[in-house]
Amino acid sequence: MVKRAMQQWLRAIITLLILLLTEGHPVDITYLQSAVAKGAVCLDGSPPAYHFDKGFGAGVNNWFIQLEGGAWCNNATTCLSRTKTRLGSSKLMVKTVSFSGILSNKAKFNPDFYNWNRIRIRYCDGSSFTGDVEAVDPKTKVYYRGARIFSAVMEDFLAKGMKNAQNAILAGCSAGSLAAILHCDRFKGLLPPGAKVKCLSDAGFFINAKTISGAPHIEQFYSDVVNTHGSAKNLPQSCTSRLKPGLCFFPQNVAQQIKTPLFLVNAAYDSWQIKNILAPGVADPRGTWRNCKLDILKCSAAQLETMQGYRTEFLKALNGLGPSSTRGYYINSCYAHCQTGTQETWLRDDSPRLASTTIAKAVGDWFYDRNRFQEIDCPYPCDKTCKNRNFESDVQPVDMDL
């Protein structure tokens, strides 16, 4: 049994590697050494980093910027632990990453954005690029400078040609997607007045929901993140003028006031949210949700009913944003997290579809004003195009005990 499972696992890894080789292309890392003098550094003081694949042909003046995900750290202890990983130190990041999905340079796999300048900004601050504390923690030697990183890399891109942008998108995955929402209007303000600028959130619509035990853990967690990183001054004032800063980490309290067009790609049963907001370890001490969180097919009838309730809360938060002629959304019923950066979910013959439309087509149509696209999927398990493979390549590989 163990041998057979190992063989299946190895076959899956080989298949994945083959797909990466055929559908993705390698892009080397760039360390922004000049940012260090500005205090724009990772948690451990190392320089910020990004991967930049230059545009070509008709796309030379178009810019797609993706902010990497990876959850958050909410106190001195958790932030210190991240300095020993790629999520807190550029010294520990891989030197090359594979660009695929919305970052692909092939028209077949990414017809609307393949020839743009495509950039992936690495995530190493733990605050969704919002932190800015001048003093370095004297005990841990940890820097809280996420907002400075965002400013420094944007200055670098403007100098590299983004100041002449004709089209631009600020996007992200997970915590990076939340950052794209929080920085959306600020990003637009950096670009020429005549540029078409929009923002894309992939798996970043985290909702303020209670756990299965009835505790408001994510609300307290976000409050701790904001306090630890000194994020309040970098959150949208349209929200902080009305609510406590910690509540302004929730898109449901921010997105309505964003003036720049925004597109939301999200699973109504977002696998990260189910694992870490609805049923985190602290709310499930006996581990009764462990198998369900790993594989939705292993959920009991009662657990599925609870997840249907979470979907209802998610849609209530989404509908609370009110109508918008410039906002788009693609809310499917897959058990997934981050779907634009993986070719399998972005655009392939077997990709998920909503209203007979792939995510790639929906986003492209919305950006170029061909169709604004605002669709919500039917409840699980009616959508047979979902693979429910729990895609989380851009986020932390382990659950967080919020």
Side-chain angles (χ1 to χ4, degrees), residues 151 307 333 370 385 393:
S151 296
M307 290 169 66
S333 290
R370 299 187 294 249
T385 69
S393 59

Side-chain angles (χ1 to χ4, degrees), residues 9 23 36 44 78 97 103 112 116 118 120 139 143 181-182 196 207 226-227 293 297 312-313 344 364 367 378 382 386:
W9 180 80
E23 296 178 347
V36 177
D44 72 335
T78 57
V97 299
L103 290 171
D112 285 307
W116 287 31
R118 286 152 290 104
R120 181 177 181 179
K139 293 183 179 180
Y143 297 76
I181 294 173
L182 297 176
K196 178 191 284 287
I207 66 171
V226 170
N227 290 335
K293 290 191 294 184
L297 297 177
T312 298
E313 284 193 71
E344 188 170 4
F367 182 82
C378 51
C382 73
C386 291

Side-chain angles (χ1 to χ4, degrees), residues 17-30 50-54 56 94-101 103-106 109 118-120 122 341 343:
L17 289 173
I18 291 173
L19 287 173
L20 289 175
L21 289 172
T22 57
E23 296 178 347
H25 64 286
V27 180
D28 292 335
I29 197 167
T30 297
Y50 58 79
H51 301 259
F52 187 172
D53 198 22
K54 292 185 178 180
F56 55 93
V94 295
K95 301 299 186 290
T96 303
V97 299
S98 179
F99 274 19
S100 62
L103 290 171
S104 175
N105 64 354
K106 298 179 177 65
F109 297 129
R118 286 152 290 104
I119 301 168
R120 181 177 181 179
R122 302 303 298 271
Q343 198 64 51

Side-chain angles (χ1 to χ4, degrees), residues 223-281:
S223 179
D224 291 342
V225 171
V226 170
N227 290 335
T228 297
H229 291 267
S231 301
K233 59 182 175 290
N234 296 310
L235 299 175
Q237 292 185 355
S238 58
C239 180
T240 55
S241 63
R242 300 178 292 110
L243 301 171
K244 294 185 296 183
L247 293 175
C248 295
F249 236 54
F250 291 103
Q252 66 197 81
N253 296 326
V254 174
Q256 187 177 29
Q257 283 75 42
I258 292 176
K259 299 177 182 179
T260 307
L262 173 67
F263 194 99
L264 302 170
V265 175
N266 227 103
Y269 309 88
D270 185 286
S271 57
W272 191 93
Q273 293 194 45
I274 297 299
K275 293 177 180 179
N276 297 284
I277 296 180
L278 177 64

Side-chain angles (χ1 to χ4, degrees), residues 52-247:
F52 187 172
D53 198 22
K54 292 185 178 180
F56 55 93
V60 293
N61 288 321
N62 299 335
W63 293 74
F64 180 86
I65 298 177
Q66 181 193 69
L67 300 168
E68 186 181 41
W72 311 267
C73 58
N74 66 325
N75 55 44
T77 300
T78 57
C79 288
L80 176 61
S81 68
R82 284 171 78 101
T83 65
K84 309 300 190 298
T85 74
R86 64 175 178 81
L87 293 173
S89 174
S90 61
K91 299 175 184 177
L92 302 174
M93 295 173 182
V94 295
K95 301 299 186 290
T96 303
V97 299
S98 179
F99 274 19
S100 62
I102 200 169
L103 290 171
S104 175
N105 64 354
K106 298 179 177 65
K108 174 183 177 181
F109 297 129
N110 188 25
D112 285 307
F113 312 112
Y114 73 97
N115 59 0
W116 287 31
N117 294 284
R118 286 152 290 104
I119 301 168
R120 181 177 181 179
I121 301 175
R122 302 303 298 271
Y123 183 41
C124 64
D125 66 271
S127 72
S128 284
F129 299 91
T130 63
D132 191 356
V133 177
E134 180 64 34
V136 180
D137 190 313
K139 293 183 179 180
T140 63
K141 308 301 181 185
V142 170
Y143 297 76
Y144 301 101
R145 304 282 180 79
R148 295 194 194 185
I149 291 176
F150 183 84
S151 296
V153 294
M154 290 302 154
E155 288 177 12
D156 188 53
F157 301 152
L158 289 168
K160 283 182 166 63
M162 195 171 73
K163 63 182 179 182
N164 301 316
Q166 296 174 351
N167 297 288
I169 295 176
L170 179 66
C173 157
S174 193
S177 177
L178 173 59
I181 294 173
L182 297 176
H183 288 289
C184 185
D185 284 343
R186 187 175 296 126
F187 176 70
K188 179 176 173 57
L190 297 172
L191 300 176
K196 178 191 284 287
V197 183
K198 299 187 179 184
C199 300
L200 170 64
S201 166
D202 180 8
F205 199 79
F206 302 97
I207 66 171
N208 189 4
K210 293 182 179 180
T211 69
I212 52 175
S213 64
H217 279 289
I218 188 63
E219 181 177 323
Q220 182 59 55
F221 182 83
Y222 275 175
S223 179
D224 291 342
V225 171
V226 170
N227 290 335
T228 297
H229 291 267
S231 301
K233 59 182 175 290
N234 296 310
L235 299 175
Q237 292 185 355
S238 58
C239 180
T240 55
S241 63
R242 300 178 292 110
L243 301 171
K244 294 185 296 183
L247 293 175

